[in-house]
Amino acid sequence: RFRILVIGRANAGKTTILQRVCNTRENPEIYNSAGKKVGIIMLRGGHGIENEMVFRSNPGFVFHDSRGFEAGVESEFDKVKAFIASRSKKINLMDRLHVIWYCIPMDEASWSVTEGVIKFFSQCDTGSIAVMVLFTKFDALYDVAYAQLKSKGASMEEAKELAPKHAEESF
């Protein structure tokens, strides 16, 4: 089993990414650290980082969800650091953390680099665990690009056609 820690603020698109990776629209089943099923629906703040999220469509992936650090709560950051340290030292390979996905949403409301992102990358020792930054909600930039193209005189059709490429170039 491949174990992934997913970090990101609320509404960062984490669940959508996991569903796409696992080729499903279903919510994951959630198990506590003892392996007992505790639920199916993820509720913000209603889970712990030690809980395992597994999709029936792809049980080879085990996901752990960090609530992110957007609120600046030191205890959540400390939990993430402790989880990474603990899971990186597991002897059994299937219990070890294999990769960290840090989700940064690109929607207008939050596409700047936050204090939590800076803190994670400057203060959290991930050791030999790879960290991948996933820019989510990239399509939100299409609207910005569309508006920019329209303001420069493009027709609605031209702006609609060119917006994805323009968004990518400006990223």
Side-chain angles (χ1 to χ4, degrees):
R1 294 171 30 157
F2 195 75
R3 191 171 299 275
I4 301 165
L5 171 61
V6 183
I7 300 174
R9 68 160 177 83
N11 299 313
K14 297 179 290 186
T15 301
T16 302
I17 290 284
L18 303 184
Q19 289 170 326
R20 295 252 172 97
V21 166
C22 293
N23 196 27
T24 186
R25 290 181 183 217
E26 304 289 322
N27 283 321
E29 295 177 332
I30 301 176
Y31 299 87
N32 65 18
S33 57
K36 182 181 177 194
K37 189 173 180 179
V38 294
I40 296 176
I41 299 174
M42 289 191 300
L43 298 173
R44 184 77 178 151
H47 61 275
I49 193 169
E50 289 289 341
N51 287 347
E52 299 180 349
M53 299 183 300
V54 179
F55 290 88
R56 281 180 268 186
S57 63
N58 201 335
F61 287 104
V62 176
F63 300 100
H64 295 270
D65 183 17
S66 163
R67 290 184 281 183
F69 322 117
E70 69 272 7
V73 179
E74 193 69 28
S75 63
E76 189 63 32
F77 184 70
D78 291 341
K79 284 180 194 174
V80 169
K81 285 181 13 180
F83 178 81
I84 292 169
S86 168
R87 287 289 178 163
S88 68
K89 296 175 184 152
K90 294 284 184 185
I91 294 171
N92 190 338
L93 189 58
M94 70 180 270
D95 294 329
R96 203 175 297 164
L97 183 61
H98 299 102
V99 68
I100 300 166
W101 290 353
Y102 202 113
C103 297
I104 300 176
M106 300 303 292
D107 54 342
E108 264 188 277
S110 61
W111 66 299
S112 62
V113 175
T114 64
E115 225 178 279
V117 173
I118 293 168
K119 184 173 185 170
F120 176 80
F121 285 100
S122 64
Q123 297 180 26
C124 191
D125 180 11
T126 62
S128 62
I129 301 169
V131 179
M132 294 177 59
V133 176
L134 305 178
F135 293 102
T136 60
K137 299 188 175 187
F138 190 82
D139 56 338
L141 295 180
Y142 295 177
D143 293 338
V144 174
Y146 176 84
Q148 289 172 344
L149 291 164
K150 285 286 294 162
S151 73
K152 293 179 182 176
S155 70
M156 285 176 44
E157 293 79 22
E158 290 172 321
K160 185 177 179 180
E161 183 181 326
L162 296 173
K165 186 174 191 246
H166 186 75
E168 190 174 320
E169 288 171 354
S170 64
F171 175 68

